[in-house]
């Protein structure tokens, strides 16, 4: 069985104030196998992020199924799972990385990464060691580990985001335009890291603007236009 | 495997009504007030569940019933109808609103802690900070002075209040310090449930950050479940796992916090989220 099977996923937004329906994606279907990396490309507003946010359940899908073969519960339709199940899966199995950093106030980079493990009831000393290993893995300079990350550059924030998500070793990772606004050198660094992650059997779906970036990283690439896949 | 958690708190059909009500109440409400008889329905048929270790955010405009819900749970007012079952009170077999006076004191002292927006309601301002906390400890049958001093010190330390100031009365403290004393008092007997009513409102940004950080640490360290009322969506985004949206005494939407904020379904929630600066 595929790790993730999306069947006829559609999502609309209804704006009550304007009495308007906005269609975001229609009839999206695809499978993701264990260890596979799927890339999604398309213009801004084409519906790329909508697919990822429906999988993460930040958006409520309108119709369709998103069946994820979870370690904890077996096959779960993420479109209809309970909020508690979704929270559990986010905590232990599904990671989401965007270009934006959402850190609690007065939290250092290392504490931010540790917090991902502490919420899984990991021992604090082991969480600290794992956080340091992950920050080093993503090549965030040690001098930044004990600093509040609101002063970090885009590349540093992204590496911190990746470390925060990857320290939990999720089975499924959703990458929502993580390389947007990065310079080429940093992009290459991220590309190298994603290839290394792929080798750890983490399955990934990523949204990128840059076709060149996806070469050698993605097993398959889907192009989305006006909310639907095009060949 | 299926998730089979027992909720720490289960509220069913909570209704708080000011007035006798009339047959027209069901159809003649203007916001939450009956135009026929003048009865105000502060809460109407509110049901929710709070799970172990969860932070459940409650948002809504002033007068939507958020604080009435908290006050009902902490026995500050008597609901008209409904039940609230605590996992740790009679194994969830009875509503706390059926409890006797002695049981209610036990529930308030041992099973839940409350932090009010206005510290005057939660603290004895003329007693020392240490006495405020010790009062809770004594209510839980603690009698050993040395142990109590140790616990008071530990609690004040956890909320970053210098122990050298534990002998001072909270009336001499800043608003942020008073909130932190309230939090340490609420945590005194390791309750499974913490009720936080607008705890960061009126605090300046740096103090607000300190209180938020404290709540996060408390959640991680004590595994306490938190009902968090706030009109500040940034606070809700940071702390709440799930969020309830209230309007005119009713729950109009409940969902994962990021879903509520990014894909709101109800007209009021959309209006609220689109008002974000």
């Amino acid at each position: 069985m595929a790790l993730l099977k999306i069947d006829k996923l559609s999502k609309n937004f209804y704006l009550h104030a304007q009495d308007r329906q906005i269609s975001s994606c229609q009839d999206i279907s695809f499978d993701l196998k264990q260890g596979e990396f799927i890339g999604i490309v398309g213009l801004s507003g084409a519906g790329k992020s909508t697919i990822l946010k429906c999988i993460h359940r930040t958006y409520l899908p309108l119709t369709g199924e998103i069946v994820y073969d979870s370690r904890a519960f077996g096959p779960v339709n993420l479109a209809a799972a309970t909020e508690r199940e979704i929270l559990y899966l986010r905590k232990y199995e599904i990671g989401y990385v965007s270009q934006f950093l959402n850190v609690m106030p007065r939290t250092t980079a290392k504490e931010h990464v540790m917090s991902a493990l502490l919420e899984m009831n990991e021992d604090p000393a082991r969480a600290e060691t794992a956080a340091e290993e992950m920050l080093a893995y993503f090549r965030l300079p040690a001098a930044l580990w004990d600093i509040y990350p609101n002063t970090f550059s885009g590349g540093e924030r992204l590496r911190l985001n990746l470390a925060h998500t990857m320290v939990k070793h999720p089975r499924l990772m959703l990458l929502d335009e993580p390389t947007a606004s990065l310079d080429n050198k940093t992009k290459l660094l991220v590309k190298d890291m994603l290839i290394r992650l792929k080798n750890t059997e983490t399955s990934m779906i990523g949204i990128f603007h840059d076709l060149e970036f996806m070469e050698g990283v993605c097993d398959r690439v889907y192009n989305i236009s006006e909310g639907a896949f095009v060949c | 495997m299926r998730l089979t958690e027992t909720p720490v708190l289960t509220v069913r059909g909570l209704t708080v009504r000011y007035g006798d009500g009339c047959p027209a109440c069901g159809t003649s409400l203007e916001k939450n007030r009956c135009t026929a008889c003048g009865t105000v329905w502060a809460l109407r048929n509110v049901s929710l569940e709070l799970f172990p270790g969860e932070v459940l955010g409650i948002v809504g405009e002033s007068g939507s019933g958020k604080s009435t819900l908290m006050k009902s749970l902490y026995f500050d007012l008597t609901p008209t109808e409904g039940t609230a079952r605590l996992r740790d009170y009679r194994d969830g077999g009875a509503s706390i609103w059926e409890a006797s006076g002695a049981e209610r004191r036990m529930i308030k002292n041992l099973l839940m802690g409350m932090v009010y927006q206005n510290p005057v309601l939660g603290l004895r301002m003329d007693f020392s900070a240490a006495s405020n906390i010790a009062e809770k400890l004594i209510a839980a049958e603690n009698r050993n002075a040395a142990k109590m001093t140790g616990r008071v010190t530990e609690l004040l330390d956890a909320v970053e209040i210098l122990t050298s100031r534990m002998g001072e009365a909270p009336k001499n403290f800043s608003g942020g310090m008073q909130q932190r004393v309230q939090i340490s008092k609420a945590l005194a007997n390791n309750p499974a449930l913490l009720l936080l009513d607008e705890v960061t409102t009126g605090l300046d940004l740096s103090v607000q950050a300190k209180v938020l950080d404290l709540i996060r640490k408390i959640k991680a360290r004590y595994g306490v479940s938190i009902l968090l009322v706030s009109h500040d969506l940034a606070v809700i985004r940071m702390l709440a796992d799930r969020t309830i949206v209230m309007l005119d005494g009713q729950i109009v939407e409940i969902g994962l916090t990021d879903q509520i904020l990014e894909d709101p379904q109800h007209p009021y929630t959309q209006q609220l989220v689109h008002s974000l600066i």
Side-chain angles (χ1 to χ4, degrees):
Chain A
M1 184 189 169
L3 182 76
L4 188 73
K5 184 175 177 60
I6 297 183
D7 188 32
K8 294 185 177 155
L9 171 68
S10 296
K11 172 64 186 166
N12 286 0
F13 295 93
Y14 182 70
L15 303 179
H16 290 275
Q18 285 104 359
D19 192 18
R20 260 179 72 199
Q21 184 112 289
I22 297 169
S23 172
S24 188
C25 69
Q26 309 106 39
D27 277 339
I28 298 291
S29 299
F30 68 92
D31 289 359
L32 176 75
K33 296 184 189 72
Q34 181 78 47
E36 197 176 25
F37 193 156
I38 286 180
I40 301 176
V41 290
L43 298 173
S44 291
K48 306 183 298 293
S49 289
T50 300
I51 298 172
L52 286 201
K53 288 188 174 178
C54 283
I55 299 170
H56 195 242
R57 256 284 284 281
T58 300
Y59 289 169
L60 286 171
L62 182 70
T63 56
E65 286 197 337
I66 303 169
V67 179
Y68 166 67
D69 188 17
S70 78
R71 190 180 285 146
F73 312 121
V76 180
N77 179 9
L78 300 177
T82 66
E83 288 146 9
R84 294 296 296 169
E85 283 171 338
I86 295 288
L87 286 169
Y88 181 94
L89 292 173
R90 285 182 184 181
K91 196 188 277 187
Y92 292 99
E93 299 193 25
I94 301 176
Y96 185 95
V97 179
S98 76
Q99 58 181 305
F100 305 107
L101 185 63
N102 192 11
V103 180
M104 285 288 296
R106 302 203 321 164
T107 303
T108 66
K110 186 161 78 178
E111 286 169 345
H112 181 56
V113 179
M114 281 174 68
S115 69
L117 291 174
L118 294 177
E119 71 171 14
M120 295 165 72
N121 299 319
E122 181 63 273
D123 167 69
R126 281 167 60 184
E128 185 170 6
T129 308
E132 287 176 354
E133 283 170 6
M134 202 47 72
L135 288 166
Y137 178 84
F138 284 109
R139 296 178 206 166
L140 195 78
L144 298 179
W145 294 359
D146 294 320
I147 286 177
Y148 300 146
N150 52 348
T151 55
F152 284 11
S153 70
E156 288 160 353
R157 283 172 186 230
L158 172 62
R159 278 178 271 166
L160 179 57
N161 266 343
L162 284 166
H164 174 75
T165 306
M166 280 312 299
V167 77
K168 300 200 276 192
H169 298 289
R171 300 173 78 217
L172 172 62
M173 189 129 108
L174 307 168
L175 301 157
D176 191 357
E177 303 199 46
T179 56
S181 75
L182 294 187
D183 61 69
N184 278 334
K185 191 179 162 199
T186 314
K187 271 189 197 174
L188 283 175
L189 184 69
V190 172
K191 185 172 179 174
D192 176 50
M193 286 166 186
L194 292 179
I195 291 169
R196 286 161 70 186
L197 284 183
K198 210 176 133 186
N199 294 335
T200 65
E201 285 290 290
T202 298
S203 308
M204 290 183 264
I205 303 177
I207 294 173
F208 304 97
H209 278 299
D210 191 345
L211 276 170
E212 204 179 316
F213 178 87
M214 297 162 95
E215 268 179 43
V217 184
C218 299
D219 300 302
R220 276 183 289 152
V221 175
Y222 290 103
N223 189 357
I224 187 166
S225 176
E226 296 181 358
F229 280 158
V230 287
C231 296
Chain B
M1 175 183 129
R2 297 244 68 88
L3 279 180
T4 53
E5 310 160 289
T6 304
V8 171
L9 170 71
T10 307
V11 177
R12 289 285 176 265
L14 170 58
T15 298
V16 175
R17 190 183 68 207
Y18 299 106
D20 295 331
C22 71
C25 275
T27 51
S28 313
L29 288 186
E30 188 182 78
K31 291 181 81 70
N32 61 356
R33 183 179 173 278
C34 176
T35 51
C37 68
T39 295
V40 172
W41 296 77
L43 287 176
R44 270 183 292 164
N45 199 24
V46 166
S47 296
L48 60 88
E49 288 168 330
L50 177 68
F51 290 92
E54 179 180 48
V55 178
L56 183 62
I58 303 177
V59 298
E61 61 189 11
S62 298
S64 61
K66 307 184 298 290
S67 293
T68 304
L69 168 61
M70 301 294 252
K71 285 176 182 165
S72 301
L73 291 172
Y74 207 60
F75 307 112
D76 288 338
L77 57 82
T78 306
T80 314
E81 281 173 43
T83 60
R85 296 173 195 276
L86 283 176
R87 182 193 59 193
D88 301 332
Y89 170 61
R90 296 194 187 180
D91 291 328
S95 170
I96 58 169
W97 294 316
E98 293 165 12
S100 65
E103 284 179 318
R104 287 180 181 217
R105 282 193 293 280
M106 180 278 291
I107 290 169
K108 286 175 75 166
N109 285 321
L110 297 181
L111 304 186
M112 60 168 97
M114 171 79 162
V115 179
Y116 295 91
Q117 177 182 354
N118 183 353
V120 169
L121 297 174
L123 296 174
R124 293 179 191 273
M125 287 295 179
D126 291 321
F127 288 25
S128 69
S131 301
N132 267 282
I133 299 168
E135 185 188 14
K136 274 269 185 185
L137 295 171
I138 291 165
E141 306 291 321
N142 290 290
R143 294 289 183 269
N144 182 310
K147 274 188 187 167
M148 278 203 290
T149 306
R151 178 69 178 147
V152 167
T153 308
E154 181 192 335
L155 285 161
L156 289 175
D157 193 45
V159 298
E160 297 182 32
I161 289 195
L162 293 172
T163 43
S164 58
R165 301 198 65 180
M166 66 195 260
E168 289 181 42
K171 68 180 179 188
N172 298 331
F173 290 171
S174 69
M177 285 173 77
Q178 289 174 348
Q179 284 307 50
R180 283 181 279 143
V181 175
Q182 265 207 98
I183 292 172
S184 59
K185 181 176 179 178
L187 286 172
N189 295 317
N190 289 322
L193 170 62
L194 205 51
L195 308 172
L196 304 179
D197 191 2
E198 301 275 15
V199 286
T200 57
T201 305
L203 303 178
D204 72 60
L205 272 181
S206 63
V207 179
Q208 193 180 75
K210 197 177 262 193
V211 174
L212 290 179
D213 184 36
L214 174 64
I215 296 168
R216 179 181 63 89
K217 283 183 179 147
I218 285 167
K219 185 190 165 194
R221 185 164 159 190
Y222 300 105
V224 59
S225 304
I226 300 174
L227 214 49
L228 174 75
V229 165
S230 180
H231 66 254
D232 186 338
L233 293 182
V235 169
I236 293 290
R237 181 189 283 277
M238 261 172 219
L239 292 174
D241 300 303
R242 292 187 302 136
T243 293
I244 282 173
V245 183
M246 294 190 70
L247 179 69
D248 300 336
Q250 288 183 303
I251 292 177
V252 293
E253 189 165 354
I254 181 164
L256 296 162
T257 299
D258 55 336
Q259 179 260 302
I260 293 283
L261 295 176
E262 294 196 37
D263 188 17
Q265 305 292 307
H266 190 271
Y268 171 69
T269 319
Q270 289 190 357
Q271 189 190 331
L272 184 75
V273 170
H274 295 154
S275 306
L276 264 177
I277 297 169

